[in-house]
Amino acid sequence: MSEKVIEMTGTILSVKNLSKHFIIKNNVFSQKKIINAVNDISFDILPNESMGLIGESGSGKSTTANLVLRLLEPTRGEIMLFGKNIADINYKEMRILRKDIQIIFQHTFSALDPKMTVDELLKEPLIIHNIVPVQELDKEVDRLLNMVGLPAGEKIKFPQQLSGGQNQRVIIARAIATRPKIIVCDEPVSSLDVSVQGQILNLLIKLKEELNLTYLFISHDLKVVRLMCEKTAVMHEGKIVEIGKSSEVLFNPKHEYTRKLLDAEL
Amino acid sequence: MKKPLIKVKDLKVSFYNNNKAVEVIRGFDIDVWEGEIVGILGESGSGKTVSSTSILHMMEKNEGIITSGEILYNKKDLATLSEKQMNTIRGRKIAYVFQNPAQALSPYKKIGRQFKNLLKNHNLKYSSAAVQSALEEVGIKDAETVLNMYPFQLSGGQNQRIMIALSIITKPDLLIADEPTSSIDTSLIKKVLDLFRDINKKYNMSMIIITHDFNVAKYICNRLVIMYGGLVVETGDINSILNNPLHPYTEELIKCAYSLDNYKDSLYSLEGAPPTPYEFKDECPFYSRCKIREDECRQAIPYMKEIEGRQVRCLKR
Amino acid sequence: MKRPNFSLILGSVLLALILIIMLFPQLFSGKSPYTLEQLRFLVVDDKLEIELAPHPPSDDFPLGSDDYGRDIYSRIIYGTRLTISLGILIALGRFLLAVPMALSAGFGNETSKSIIKQFNTVFSAIPAILISIIVLSLDFFSGLNKSASILSFVVVLSIVGWANIGDVIHERVTLINKQSFITAETAIGKRKLKIATENVIPHLAPELIVLFFMEIARALSMLMQLGIFSIFIGNLKIIIDSDNGTLVFANVSFEPEWASMLGSSRNMLHAAPWALLYPALAFFISVLAFNLFGEGLRSSMQKKDSAVIPFIRKLISFNLIKSFKTSATSAKIKLAVFIILLGGIIAVQSIFSNAKYNFEIENPVDLRSEQAIISTVEADEAAEAIIDKMKELNIEPLYEEGYMQEYDIDKTCINTAQSFVIHSGNTSLEFEANKDYSFISTGSFNYTAPVYDASKDDLYSLSEFSKFDDKFVMINKSYYSDSYINYILSQIDLYSSAKGVFLYTREDREIENYILNRSDDMFILNISNTLSDTIKDNIDENITVSAEIKNLGTSGNNLIGIYHGEGALAEEAILIGMRYNYLDKDGKDILNFNLELMRRLCISFENKRSIIFLFVDGTLNPIQNGIYALAQDFPYTSSKVNVFIDLTGLNSADFDEVAFSSAQAPFTRQFAWSVAHQLESSFEKERIETAELATVYSNGEYIFTEDPEKNTLFWERGIATIVINTEKGGSRHNISDIGRILLEVINKNNY
């Protein structure tokens, strides 16, 4: 009942009974092995209510991120993006909807084509989704770079000429280029240096407010989730074991596994 | 009571790329005493991994060359030893635990075979009891089954433990672990670090732990070496560094690391990025990001000062 | 620290050398790869020694010669272009199949995946070479001409060989696709095709370039293996022996190409190892060159600062020229791209090198008269027009006295009016000249007489001629030999006062004759079978035969001029024989065609050999043909004439098929053989049907074409002759097609 109400009031992303099974077959003779990477999970993300997804590696959080972006094909379940089920639409339809849901990657160096300049990288989403007229492309690229705090002069550079933090800014600029409502952040700072992590998190917080963004924030770092998200879901072995307000889940956990995670913090 | 085990003095390492020499390590000094756990802490590009691999001459593709400095161990200068002589030390006297299990474990050999090969290389006798006890020591219960498995059949955490077991089976004097926690889950970090500490206690084995995480360092290390821009910028025991950092970089880094814990309006962060080896100049490496910098910091690379038994590379202290 | 990239340096040097040889083979070898020298005469110790091919390496033959006495060295040099091009084309064909397939498989297309897998499985179980041998040795493939043969080789070897490379590329694509920047591109909503072209291919391309060079090497070694099994392009089986009723074939290729050199000399390993060794060495060196270059390229590209990928991306975004100028692309890559482009161009060009000549008659000579028959004023006018044209084109006379060669002919005439009427009761049946009947011998007469049907008589035992008196005698020619018919005719003329003789034969033959031997008191006619039947039906009726004649002169004029070639081969000549007599508009067109052909041969290209243009008089009647006179007094050294192309038999401007004979351009007459061979394949390519001119056995010897005038120069002067005839009837082709083909072929053999 309560879920219905939320949907009426306009969830951004609503996931229902989503599952992803991988079938592993090592060789001809071995038995098929089914891995339930994501097993029947449901959650809703409301506007301005960023959700953190925590768990160990292998708990299915990255798979979930890839599923809601349709970078992986779900085995079953619904993924409602603004009330439209994107779980079973084709590649072409999804391509157009990608404008509204974007992703920020963990590995800053491998998520950008190493042989494209920053300028080319940023123009790509603008051209694909026809965000601005062609003659304003350069202006828009400068504006995006400014928003993520990169000097406009950096746009002639290639990713490997930039530092990890700068690359992450390019990735973020690329993600916000299409004016998405929701951005999936897949461990956005875990590959960055301690001294730079803060810059990126500050930037994400700033953009969240300025652009009215909602994040699905995947991290193994509980502190970061505490900071970024209003809501937290804990995943364990493909299932969401606990979901609720961050203040509840991360300070007063109900589930045994969540407690274990909190205890393990250094 | 305590004796120094290994002493590295002013080590410099250069890499060759397209006929151009690039100095990656400009000054690396470290003393490790018997039974001590020393942390090397630094950001990416600071030279922490290269400096520790160069102790064992394990630079990538032999492109790196020790250009000066000495590594005193057991009355020998490791910097001048031949590859053949190094083989008797590498893995036997000084063991190295890689960041990624894939680097260290051969994917096509069963775990048991890997133990056998290692022992054979060092002319040690293989005894399944010893291997099993080593495995049990690192927390692998069903040792016999595991010995008959391939690395890919085991989880990342298990492989990590096997690597540690492989390193300690020869009972080395020194164990160097490169980011031992970065490829495992948060929930396991504590356990792995506990394991290291147990081994340290049990065999009085000295350790060098390379990390970028203050929490890890705080949890396990006795002493800390902070690196920046290919240089050691500060050394000292862990508590005094955390409570009273001398080098401005250390100070800023600690502020960054703990700003998540006491978040107000925004996170504390350092602007700019650390210099890459191509950008190294003869000045204080932290000059561009430093808040207390002065012109004299640009004159030359600052020397190491000794303050209250701690060392710091800063003119302003 | 840095080691020089030896494989790249050595590979580039070798490839550059190969490239130069491909482009300018003449720089390296002055000798023609086609020249045959089966016998050599050497003077050793003042004694003449005769040496039979294959000749061992010597000053004349640096690497020896093959079985036919062809120089191995120049065959290797001239064969480079064809062999390497073939290798490049096969590699290209394989890539054209493999790259799209691998890309689509890499993007998850199951069909493509399984096709690659199946092909790989099949061709790893059955060696590709075996399948190639089986397929390519089918008769269908061995009978193809050069271009079709190249095409079929490329197709077959591409199909059997692409899967291997496809698998490698597929693996690479899968690897690239696993990188997270590809996921990132998907996440911003990029099309798969665009991801493939803009993100995958640029990362794949350095590898592709390397693989391409390696693949050329693989293709070349496959060609070598096929060569050993006598499978090579332009393969031709010729009968070398038919002893004991068994046909013995030899595999010969007349194109210089390495694989064929291996294939045709593999049996001579002991007798002439050089014939096998050097082509194999050529293969070895070029395989090595391509492999080294590929390896070197790979290692130089693996450097981190290599600018290859941005360059390729620009290449793909169609900024080729701009990026070539501006980007900091390394010289090596430019070199690689350049080599590929150039190689491709040469490869394509070597197949389709027949630059098409347009053959149109631009300024037809205005010939006033409607007919030009030997020994008439009109013929003189035509001759004058031809001579004017020759002078205009700087064609010099061959005889001291001028372009004309005068010769005597028998007294002849032509009919100006004629009729043949059967008076059947009150009606009279009229017949058409040159259709139902034609005159062999004529005069200005008007005879009306009954017919004596001699077809039932035995003319061998003829004793009484009086029964023929004042009658027309009808004889069935098919019972008697030609010479006996001549004898009978002379007997009838001598012993009877018959008004005329009608000859008919059971087989239907076209009746056509214009220029006639004169007879003073008797008609001799050929009549058709229909007419002979009609006559038999009306055997008792009178027939009226009448004719008016015009007498012709007693001399003909051949016109001969020479257009001098330039260079070392100028002494050698090509003789082109054409006609200038004509009877109607069609014949006039042919004369204009001949003149245009002469003009085009003089101006279209730089002639290495001289060309002798011969306009033959008297071509309308075999016995007046000027060729006999020419054969008696040929004004040029016969042995220097490489070939005589006889176009005097072009009887119609529009035709369906060409009657062709190269029987007098035997294999031993290499230049003529080659021209004939190429003419034949050009006809085939242009879909012009050819009919071989019949060979007849007469007086104890074979005459290669029925018409003796067509082989006079061959038998009398030893000049290799190619005959091209056209006959009336049909309009599928025009004579200008022949002109175009001749221009092409003569230019192609202009070395």
Side-chain angles (χ1 to χ4, degrees):
Chain A
M1 184 64 199
S2 64
E3 273 178 24
K4 276 269 157 58
V5 177
I6 290 164
E7 204 180 302
M8 299 295 282
T9 54
T11 53
I12 289 184
L13 184 70
S14 167
V15 167
K16 275 188 209 137
N17 308 106
L18 187 65
S19 295
K20 174 70 187 176
H21 300 167
F22 290 106
I23 297 168
I24 305 242
K25 213 174 162 195
N26 285 329
N27 57 50
V28 187
F29 305 106
S30 69
Q31 284 235 304
K32 270 189 198 170
K33 201 169 136 193
I34 294 174
I35 293 175
N36 298 325
V38 170
N39 199 356
D40 198 23
I41 61 166
S42 304
F43 60 82
D44 295 299
I45 295 177
L46 294 167
N48 301 320
E49 195 197 53
S50 294
M51 186 176 99
L53 203 54
I54 59 174
E56 300 172 66
S57 61
S59 62
K61 37 186 215 304
S62 279
T63 309
T64 309
N66 282 323
L67 284 174
V68 300
L69 283 152
R70 273 294 296 279
L71 295 172
L72 278 176
E73 296 300 308
T75 308
R76 70 178 82 86
E78 283 180 12
I79 304 160
M80 309 292 283
L81 184 66
F82 300 109
K84 185 174 166 61
N85 188 1
I86 60 165
D88 46 13
I89 60 176
N90 62 28
Y91 188 89
K92 211 172 146 190
E93 282 178 87
M94 189 58 216
R95 226 170 49 69
I96 296 155
L97 290 176
R98 291 194 186 282
K99 179 158 117 348
D100 296 324
I101 181 163
Q102 279 292 334
I103 180 164
I104 294 169
F105 292 91
Q106 172 179 12
H107 297 289
T108 54
F109 282 103
S110 59
L112 296 172
D113 190 332
K115 302 293 178 175
M116 282 170 91
T117 62
V118 172
D119 189 46
E120 286 171 321
L121 285 164
L122 290 182
K123 275 179 185 167
E124 237 180 25
L126 297 173
I127 294 168
I128 289 167
H129 295 290
N130 216 356
I131 305 292
V132 291
V134 179
Q135 59 269 26
E136 282 173 35
L137 276 176
D138 287 314
K139 229 170 87 191
E140 178 67 10
V141 169
D142 291 349
R143 195 184 70 86
L144 287 170
L145 286 174
N146 185 36
M147 279 186 85
V148 298
L150 277 176
E154 304 284 306
K155 69 178 173 185
I156 55 160
K157 290 191 176 166
F158 289 98
Q160 71 268 31
Q161 294 171 298
L162 301 174
S163 69
Q166 286 172 314
N167 270 327
Q168 193 60 293
R169 287 172 196 267
V170 175
I171 294 171
I172 293 170
R174 230 175 161 219
I176 60 173
T178 61
R179 296 16 177 194
K181 304 286 179 305
I182 176 163
I183 296 181
V184 179
C185 304
D186 187 2
E187 305 265 18
V189 294
S190 69
S191 72
L192 296 176
D193 280 322
V194 181
S195 67
V196 181
Q197 285 184 0
Q199 299 170 11
I200 298 299
L201 290 173
N202 282 338
L203 175 65
L204 288 174
I205 293 168
K206 184 189 98 173
L207 293 174
K208 186 179 170 187
E209 282 159 15
E210 281 178 13
L211 303 176
N212 210 10
L213 285 170
T214 307
Y215 295 135
L216 173 57
F217 204 97
I218 292 157
S219 180
H220 66 272
D221 192 337
L222 305 183
K223 286 175 198 158
V224 174
V225 172
R226 244 174 239 150
L227 174 70
M228 301 293 297
C229 305
E230 287 82 16
K231 192 175 172 183
T232 299
V234 184
M235 279 193 86
H236 180 53
E237 291 178 350
K239 288 191 166 148
I240 290 182
V241 294
E242 186 167 0
I243 185 165
K245 288 232 151 41
S246 296
S247 49
E248 293 283 320
V249 176
L250 293 174
F251 292 97
N252 188 14
K254 300 270 183 317
H255 196 275
E256 190 190 348
Y257 177 72
T258 318
R259 242 174 271 145
K260 218 176 107 193
L261 271 184
L262 288 173
D263 286 345
E265 240 187 315
L266 285 173
Chain B
M1 180 186 76
K2 276 194 175 174
K3 289 186 289 181
L5 179 73
I6 188 163
K7 201 171 175 67
V8 179
K9 271 195 224 160
D10 201 27
L11 192 71
K12 289 181 180 166
V13 178
S14 290
F15 274 70
Y16 285 89
N17 192 354
N18 275 351
N19 242 357
K20 275 181 290 185
V22 178
E23 194 164 58
V24 178
I25 305 298
R26 302 191 284 175
F28 177 63
D29 302 77
I30 194 171
D31 299 338
V32 184
W33 298 69
E34 275 184 0
E36 189 186 32
I37 301 180
V38 181
I40 303 179
L41 193 140
E43 294 182 280
S44 55
S46 63
K48 56 187 192 301
T49 302
V50 178
S51 50
S52 57
T53 48
S54 61
I55 293 176
L56 288 175
H57 298 200
M58 297 200 305
M59 284 79 76
E60 268 173 43
K61 289 182 192 166
N62 299 325
E63 279 174 348
I65 283 188
I66 297 173
T67 50
S68 77
E70 47 188 21
I71 305 163
L72 297 173
Y73 166 76
N74 209 0
K75 292 168 193 154
K76 272 179 275 191
D77 183 4
L78 298 190
T80 60
L81 289 193
S82 69
E83 183 65 18
K84 205 176 160 191
Q85 288 167 309
M86 278 310 292
N87 275 335
T88 62
I89 292 172
R90 206 184 287 146
R92 175 74 186 86
K93 296 289 179 193
I94 303 176
Y96 197 95
V97 181
F98 285 90
Q99 181 171 1
N100 191 345
Q103 280 176 283
L105 296 176
S106 168
Y108 306 114
K109 286 180 190 154
K110 285 180 182 169
I111 304 298
R113 165 68 48 193
Q114 313 221 9
F115 275 99
K116 269 181 201 164
N117 285 352
L118 177 87
L119 291 168
K120 203 177 143 205
N121 284 345
H122 294 295
N123 295 321
L124 294 172
K125 233 184 109 209
Y126 176 84
S127 94
S128 66
V131 171
Q132 282 187 25
S133 77
L135 284 173
E136 268 159 33
E137 223 165 299
V138 298
I140 289 173
K141 288 171 193 104
D142 195 2
E144 223 160 312
T145 324
V146 167
L147 285 175
N148 272 318
M149 290 170 100
Y150 289 95
F152 65 84
Q153 294 172 301
L154 299 163
S155 72
Q158 279 172 307
N159 277 328
Q160 179 90 10
R161 282 160 195 275
I162 286 162
M163 279 206 305
I164 297 168
L166 274 168
S167 319
I168 62 169
I169 188 120
T170 57
K171 304 277 177 329
D173 297 335
L174 176 65
L175 184 78
I176 304 175
D178 186 5
E179 301 269 14
T181 58
S182 74
S183 64
I184 55 170
D185 269 310
T186 336
S187 56
L188 294 174
I189 289 177
K190 240 183 205 171
K191 283 183 187 159
V192 170
L193 293 179
D194 286 342
L195 177 62
F196 274 109
R197 197 156 48 194
D198 292 347
I199 294 165
N200 167 255
K201 291 264 161 60
K202 189 167 175 187
Y203 300 105
N204 198 26
M205 195 185 285
S206 306
M207 289 181 181
I208 295 176
I209 307 279
I210 300 159
T211 183
H212 65 275
D213 191 339
F214 268 108
N215 292 319
V216 171
K218 191 177 165 186
Y219 194 79
I220 188 169
C221 298
N222 309 121
R223 233 151 34 80
L224 208 50
V225 172
I226 312 276
M227 288 195 77
Y228 190 80
L231 290 164
V232 171
V233 293
E234 183 168 359
T235 57
D237 79 289
I238 185 85
N239 288 325
S240 48
I241 284 187
L242 284 176
N243 298 329
N244 177 25
L246 289 176
H247 198 279
Y249 170 65
T250 319
E251 192 182 340
E252 299 279 337
L253 201 60
I254 291 170
K255 271 193 204 165
C256 287
Y258 292 101
S259 77
L260 268 173
D261 292 332
N262 28 36
Y263 176 79
K264 289 190 188 84
D265 294 333
S266 68
L267 291 168
Y268 190 84
S269 72
L270 264 168
E271 286 311 313
T276 65
Y278 296 96
E279 297 160 356
F280 286 172
K281 287 181 206 148
D282 281 342
E283 61 180 25
C284 173
F286 194 57
Y287 178 79
S288 61
R289 300 167 93 183
C290 185
K291 285 182 180 149
I292 57 166
R293 67 184 173 195
E294 275 176 28
D295 274 351
E296 59 176 324
C297 303
R298 301 194 72 169
Q299 303 301 318
I301 298 173
Y303 53 90
M304 282 293 247
K305 268 184 199 168
E306 188 131 349
I307 300 172
E308 299 159 18
R310 295 158 62 189
Q311 283 153 320
V312 63
R313 201 185 285 274
C314 181
L315 296 173
K316 307 300 294 172
R317 301 288 167 182
Chain C
M1 269 327 263
K2 193 185 171 190
R3 260 170 285 132
N5 195 336
F6 280 120
S7 34
L8 187 68
I9 294 166
L10 190 59
S12 328
V13 168
L14 286 175
L15 275 198
L17 188 70
I18 289 173
L19 199 70
I20 294 168
I21 294 177
M22 279 171 84
L23 286 173
F24 312 106
Q26 64 274 18
L27 293 182
F28 295 86
S29 170
K31 220 167 189 170
S32 157
Y34 297 103
T35 308
L36 301 163
E37 202 176 335
Q38 277 181 299
L39 287 175
R40 283 177 82 209
F41 301 97
L42 306 166
V43 179
V44 181
D45 300 335
D46 292 337
K47 274 185 276 177
L48 184 72
E49 280 193 3
I50 299 173
E51 187 184 274
L52 197 65
H55 310 294
S58 64
D59 288 347
D60 287 350
F61 298 102
L63 303 180
S65 87
D66 67 4
D67 218 7
Y68 303 99
R70 294 177 294 192
D71 183 28
I72 299 274
Y73 174 68
S74 42
R75 278 183 82 73
I76 288 177
I77 293 292
Y78 280 86
T80 312
R81 179 183 293 193
L82 198 53
T83 313
I84 303 290
S85 303
L86 199 56
I88 292 174
L89 283 176
I90 291 167
L92 208 64
R94 287 179 179 174
F95 267 61
L96 284 181
L97 287 171
V99 173
M101 209 53 112
L103 273 176
S104 87
F107 276 87
N109 186 319
E110 291 298 328
T111 322
S112 308
K113 262 186 216 170
S114 90
I115 289 175
I116 292 179
K117 205 178 150 194
Q118 293 310 325
F119 262 83
N120 250 328
T121 318
V122 168
F123 290 113
S124 59
I126 313 164
I129 184 102
L130 198 67
I131 296 187
S132 316
I133 289 172
I134 292 166
V135 173
L136 290 172
S137 57
L138 294 176
D139 279 350
F140 171 73
F141 286 104
S142 47
L144 292 173
N145 65 24
K146 182 177 152 198
S147 307
S149 180
I150 289 178
L151 201 65
S152 56
F153 256 68
V154 170
V155 169
V156 171
L157 294 187
S158 298
I159 289 173
V160 301
W162 71 273
N164 200 326
I165 199 80
D167 198 40
V168 174
I169 299 172
H170 173 205
E171 223 165 84
R172 290 284 307 150
V173 173
T174 314
L175 261 177
I176 292 170
N177 271 347
K178 271 187 188 156
Q179 303 214 37
S180 53
F181 68 83
I182 297 291
T183 319
E185 297 295 335
T186 314
I188 62 160
K190 206 166 175 176
R191 283 195 180 86
K192 274 183 184 173
L193 189 67
K194 281 200 120 187
I195 295 177
T197 54
E198 289 177 13
N199 299 89
V200 177
I201 289 184
H203 286 266
L204 192 66
E207 188 72 15
L208 283 187
I209 292 177
V210 170
L211 286 174
F212 186 73
F213 281 100
M214 303 282 196
E215 198 58 34
I216 295 174
R218 269 189 58 205
L220 284 177
S221 56
M222 190 140 179
L223 283 177
M224 179 162 85
Q225 292 170 46
L226 287 173
I228 294 282
F229 287 100
S230 288
I231 291 163
F232 38 79
I233 58 157
N235 190 358
L236 188 83
K237 276 193 164 59
I238 57 169
I239 301 170
I240 54 168
D241 203 354
S242 58
D243 278 357
N244 309 325
T246 325
L247 292 182
V248 178
F249 292 99
N251 291 303
V252 197
S253 172
F254 293 98
E255 297 298 339
E257 195 261 330
W258 300 345
S260 72
M261 297 172 71
L262 285 176
S264 47
S265 51
R266 65 177 164 154
N267 294 330
M268 308 194 299
L269 183 59
H270 295 292
W274 57 85
L276 202 61
L277 183 68
Y278 294 113
L281 202 65
F283 263 117
F284 174 75
I285 290 172
S286 35
V287 168
L288 191 75
F290 282 103
N291 261 330
L292 280 178
F293 190 75
E295 274 299 338
L297 215 55
R298 189 202 298 268
S299 64
S300 89
M301 278 173 179
Q302 271 167 355
K303 297 214 176 94
K304 282 172 196 146
D305 52 352
S306 142
V308 183
I309 295 175
F311 171 68
I312 287 156
R313 184 189 304 283
K314 281 186 185 138
L315 211 72
I316 288 168
S317 18
F318 304 106
N319 289 329
L320 175 64
I321 295 154
K322 213 173 113 196
S323 71
F324 235 98
K325 281 182 193 154
T326 58
S327 85
T329 308
S330 68
K332 289 166 220 153
I333 303 314
K334 281 184 186 169
L335 185 75
V337 172
F338 182 70
I339 288 177
I340 291 179
L341 283 178
L342 203 66
I345 290 167
I346 295 169
V348 170
Q349 188 224 338
S350 71
I351 288 190
F352 306 104
S353 61
N354 322 341
K356 289 274 178 201
Y357 285 99
N358 240 338
F359 198 95
E360 270 172 39
I361 298 170
E362 282 166 13
N363 300 309
V365 178
D366 182 26
L367 299 158
R368 271 156 293 167
S369 35
E370 291 310 308
Q371 287 188 327
I373 297 168
I374 183 168
S375 201
T376 59
V377 190
E378 294 90 343
D380 293 344
E381 275 175 19
E384 256 170 58
I386 294 165
I387 290 170
D388 286 348
K389 195 83 182 175
M390 284 180 163
K391 282 179 180 160
E392 188 187 313
L393 293 167
N394 291 327
I395 298 171
E396 290 166 19
L398 253 191
Y399 291 102
E400 281 173 25
E401 54 266 34
Y403 293 100
M404 275 196 201
Q405 181 201 27
E406 197 175 322
Y407 61 97
D408 293 334
I409 52 172
D410 289 342
K411 208 173 160 196
T412 46
C413 58
I414 48 169
N415 278 326
T416 50
Q418 56 227 331
S419 72
F420 191 113
V421 182
I422 300 175
H423 305 285
S424 169
N426 295 330
T427 54
S428 41
L429 305 168
E430 244 186 272
F431 293 88
E432 210 176 308
N434 295 329
K435 182 165 173 275
D436 296 314
Y437 66 96
S438 71
F439 291 92
I440 294 171
S441 173
T442 186
S444 288
F445 312 122
N446 187 348
Y447 293 143
T448 303
V451 177
Y452 178 87
D453 184 4
S455 56
K456 295 187 189 75
D457 292 21
D458 177 10
L459 296 182
Y460 287 117
S461 53
L462 193 69
S463 53
E464 198 194 331
F465 286 94
S466 57
K467 56 185 175 188
F468 300 150
D469 286 354
D470 297 324
K471 283 184 177 162
F472 293 115
V473 185
M474 189 159 73
I475 298 170
N476 186 346
K477 228 165 47 170
S478 53
Y479 298 149
Y480 313 99
S481 73
D482 281 353
S483 47
Y484 197 72
I485 290 281
N486 279 330
Y487 172 73
I488 287 288
L489 289 174
S490 63
Q491 294 291 302
I492 293 170
D493 196 17
L494 200 63
Y495 297 114
S496 78
S497 55
K499 295 289 183 197
V501 179
F502 304 157
L503 297 170
Y504 74 95
T505 162
R506 275 294 140 216
E507 3 161 335
D508 249 321
R509 295 201 49 181
E510 215 170 295
I511 295 166
E512 188 175 343
N513 225 331
Y514 296 103
I515 304 206
L516 309 160
N517 300 328
R518 217 193 127 117
S519 168
D520 285 328
D521 48 5
M522 188 172 89
F523 286 124
I524 302 171
L525 288 84
N526 271 323
I527 58 170
S528 69
N529 287 320
T530 356
L531 181 51
S532 74
D533 289 342
T534 319
I535 293 170
K536 279 177 193 166
D537 292 345
N538 303 289
I539 196 74
D540 298 327
E541 309 292 345
N542 271 342
I543 294 175
T544 302
V545 179
S546 71
E548 288 291 323
I549 59 159
K550 179 180 161 193
N551 287 319
L552 300 177
T554 54
S555 67
N557 289 307
N558 290 329
L559 309 174
I560 307 166
I562 182 165
Y563 185 82
H564 288 290
E566 280 164 24
L569 287 170
E571 286 237 312
E572 297 186 8
I574 298 168
L575 176 62
I576 301 201
M578 298 176 283
R579 65 196 297 177
Y580 75 97
N581 288 185
Y582 59 91
L583 284 169
D584 46 19
K585 169 97 180 30
D586 203 25
K588 223 171 170 179
D589 287 347
I590 292 168
L591 178 53
N592 260 318
F593 162 82
N594 289 340
L595 289 170
E596 177 67 13
L597 181 66
M598 177 168 80
R599 190 179 76 85
R600 292 294 295 273
L601 281 172
C602 294
I603 62 157
S604 291
F605 35 80
E606 187 191 333
N607 278 297
K608 296 249 167 56
R609 287 180 176 74
S610 300
I611 304 180
I612 301 173
F613 295 100
L614 163 68
F615 284 84
V616 184
D617 205 355
T619 45
L620 296 173
N621 185 342
I623 59 164
Q624 293 167 339
N625 199 306
I627 208 84
Y628 298 111
L630 187 82
Q632 294 308 312
D633 179 18
F634 189 69
Y636 201 80
T637 322
S638 303
S639 59
K640 294 282 185 197
V641 179
N642 293 81
V643 64
F644 168 41
I645 302 175
D646 187 348
L647 302 176
T648 57
L650 294 179
N651 290 322
S652 174
D654 293 313
F655 56 91
D656 272 355
E657 65 168 23
V658 162
F660 182 83
S661 172
S662 58
Q664 292 150 134
F667 177 50
T668 47
R669 308 296 290 278
Q670 192 273 326
F671 184 85
W673 191 92
S674 157
V675 169
H677 188 67
Q678 288 173 29
L679 277 174
E680 213 170 350
S681 55
S682 297
F683 285 136
E684 196 181 318
K685 209 159 50 185
E686 298 265 331
R687 298 177 192 286
I688 299 174
E689 282 172 42
T690 51
E692 186 77 8
L693 283 173
T695 299
V696 292
Y697 183 78
S698 158
N699 295 333
E701 62 184 11
Y702 285 102
I703 298 177
F704 283 125
T705 66
E706 252 180 333
D707 311 315
E709 70 271 16
K710 298 289 185 211
N711 48 42
T712 308
L713 278 184
F714 182 65
W715 290 115
E716 303 272 323
R717 289 282 164 182
I719 297 172
T721 305
I722 298 167
V723 182
I724 300 173
N725 288 356
T726 63
E727 297 296 339
K728 280 199 167 60
S731 57
R732 265 189 280 162
H733 304 288
N734 187 271
I735 201 164
S736 59
D737 295 336
I738 295 179
R740 197 175 61 235
I741 289 169
L742 277 169
L743 279 178
E744 278 166 15
V745 170
I746 290 173
N747 186 25
K748 221 196 264 177
N749 285 283
N750 195 8
Y751 54 81

